[in-house]
Amino acid sequence: MTTAGKKERIEMLAAAVVAGDRRALAQAITLIESTRADHRDDAARLVDLLLAQAGGSFRLGISGPPGVGKSTFIERFGLHLIGQGHRVAVLAVDPSSRVSGGSILGDKTRMPELARNDAAFIRPSPAGDTLGGVARRTREALIACEAAGFDVVIVETVGVGQSETAVAELTDAFLLLLQPGSGDELQGIKRGVMELADLLVVNKTDGALRAAALQAAAEYGAALGLLRPTRPGWTPAVMTCSALTGEGIAEIRAALERYRTILGSDGTIARLRAEQNRHWLKSELADALIERLRADPRVAEAITRLEEEVGAGRRTPLSAAREILAALGLKDWPETG
Ligand code: GDP
């Protein structure tokens, strides 16, 4: 296809996404996810076009360990939002699917009612080679969803301690789902992950689990007392709900609305977005530089050898990085520090 034809095709795709065409949105995300070099160029052009229409959604990160009830919660919460006139997109990031060979998240059967609803769009983010790669594609998919008119975008990730930071960096608010259990309630959740949460929600506060859930919430609340505010004017809270019965869902929605009002009123969300965009630029630059380095045969050999040496503890990362740059002919380092 000629360059001009291609350009036109991307413009038409962007226009269809903005018009709310769901098939176009799915197609746009497929392009965004492609790792083919020519597709990357097309995707970059597409995202540039969509960016002008994006930025208007509330971006909510949701994480929690497997089995905590993420899909049940998102289905219930998403339907609640749709009932109030919102349009909800769900992007599921699953860094572990690289190992399992398929995405365990985002499977439409996990959220059957939401998947059938015209005001919802559900999409798994496939495995990538790097967490950075997954985050990059998710960020671009998020922009596409916003351009298509979804005013709430939920980014779901399985809480295994790898992807939370990346997701927290993509979103305006980060909700951590927890469940009642036996013994030390804090076990299994890394403190660093807890510190990212703007809202902690103990799910399964129902039936036989109710008392244990309330107890867990109290324990998390006590632990949280030791944490800092996540944003100016906002100290994280612990709430309880039952995704099964819907109890507590409206209260969680109200808390997120308060959070949004507080952050929106003093320009925090705008600053956050600007910060996220600068961060995005840096990570794109780093990824592109590493890609270029690996494409140079002299350097590729040095990287493979030095990765091995660094891994074995025979070289420090700093000296290895210097040798890689030297292999590229970049001998003169600017003085730092
Ligand atoms: P995910 O792996 O985090 O997505 O968890 P799922 O949403 O698939 O839920 C895991 C299991 O917990 C399922 O059997 C759900 O029916 C159950 N579950 C989810 N939410 C609740 C809840 O609020 N109360 C109770 N009792 N069970 C729940």
Side-chain angles (χ1 to χ4, degrees):
M1 183 167 305
T2 65
T3 309
K6 218 178 190 186
K7 189 164 170 258
E8 220 163 72
R9 202 166 45 97
I10 297 298
E11 279 169 7
M12 275 168 61
L13 182 57
V17 170
V18 172
D21 178 339
R22 307 169 66 87
R23 279 181 55 196
L25 176 58
Q27 207 185 325
I29 296 178
T30 301
L31 181 62
I32 284 166
E33 287 166 353
S34 172
T35 49
R36 266 177 51 182
D38 58 330
H39 284 174
R40 289 297 318 153
D41 287 345
D42 290 349
R45 187 174 298 132
L46 176 70
V47 175
D48 266 345
L49 291 171
L50 296 176
L51 204 52
Q53 311 292 328
S57 83
F58 184 57
R59 302 172 181 177
L60 176 64
I62 295 185
S63 186
V68 71
K70 289 181 296 300
S71 36
T72 313
F73 177 86
I74 291 171
E75 166 134 307
R76 178 71 71 170
F77 186 66
L79 291 170
H80 177 80
L81 289 170
I82 288 168
Q84 296 189 324
H86 294 283
R87 298 185 70 220
V88 180
V90 181
L91 301 171
V93 180
D94 179 12
S96 62
S97 64
R98 207 168 46 225
V99 182
S100 65
S103 193
I104 53 163
L105 294 175
D107 177 353
K108 286 188 184 190
T109 59
R110 293 174 68 233
M111 305 167 196
E113 243 187 283
L114 200 58
R116 274 199 305 272
N117 197 300
D118 280 345
F121 179 83
I122 301 177
R123 177 84 180 205
S125 221
D129 291 339
T130 63
L131 200 52
V134 172
R136 171 170 66 192
R137 290 196 293 275
T138 305
R139 189 182 283 112
E140 292 178 350
L142 194 154
I143 285 167
C145 290
E146 285 185 352
F150 290 93
D151 63 343
V152 179
V153 182
I154 295 174
V155 182
E156 175 192 10
T157 183
V158 70
V160 290
Q162 300 174 19
S163 46
E164 286 86 354
T165 314
V167 169
E169 272 164 7
L170 289 177
T171 50
D172 303 322
F174 187 68
L175 187 158
L176 185 60
L177 265 190
L178 303 162
Q179 62 181 336
S182 54
D184 180 0
E185 298 300 346
L186 295 176
Q187 260 183 17
I189 303 283
K190 294 202 177 75
R191 191 170 177 85
V193 173
M194 269 190 71
E195 284 172 356
L196 293 172
D198 299 302
L199 205 59
L200 281 96
V201 175
V202 180
N203 188 33
K204 306 193 185 180
T205 308
D206 54 42
L209 292 170
R210 188 179 190 89
L214 293 174
Q215 168 74 17
E219 284 179 27
Y220 283 120
L224 210 59
L226 308 171
L227 298 178
R228 300 184 300 275
T230 46
R231 315 263 187 227
W234 180 265
T235 306
V238 182
M239 302 183 78
T240 54
C241 80
S242 166
L244 217 52
T245 68
E247 194 185 320
I249 295 288
E251 286 79 3
I252 291 166
R253 151 96 176 112
L256 287 169
E257 197 58 52
R258 273 200 307 283
Y259 172 93
R260 191 184 190 175
T261 306
I262 290 170
L263 264 68
S265 62
D266 71 349
T268 301
I269 285 201
R271 274 199 304 280
L272 194 65
R273 294 272 167 97
E275 206 177 283
Q276 287 169 347
N277 286 343
R278 283 193 293 270
H279 178 83
W280 182 7
L281 172 61
K282 271 190 217 159
S283 82
E284 286 288 345
L285 199 54
D287 284 358
L289 282 173
I290 288 171
E291 235 167 74
R292 286 294 289 273
L293 281 172
R294 289 193 186 280
D296 185 311
R298 292 166 301 165
V299 182
E301 180 279 322
I303 292 180
T304 310
R305 179 169 46 80
L306 288 162
E307 270 177 352
E308 156 86 29
E309 289 185 19
V310 167
R314 292 194 300 273
R315 281 291 279 271
T316 68
L318 176 63
S319 105
R322 282 177 176 251
E323 184 176 331
I324 291 166
L325 290 176
L328 198 69
L330 293 173
K331 287 216 180 62
D332 298 323
W333 276 53
E335 286 300 320
T336 52

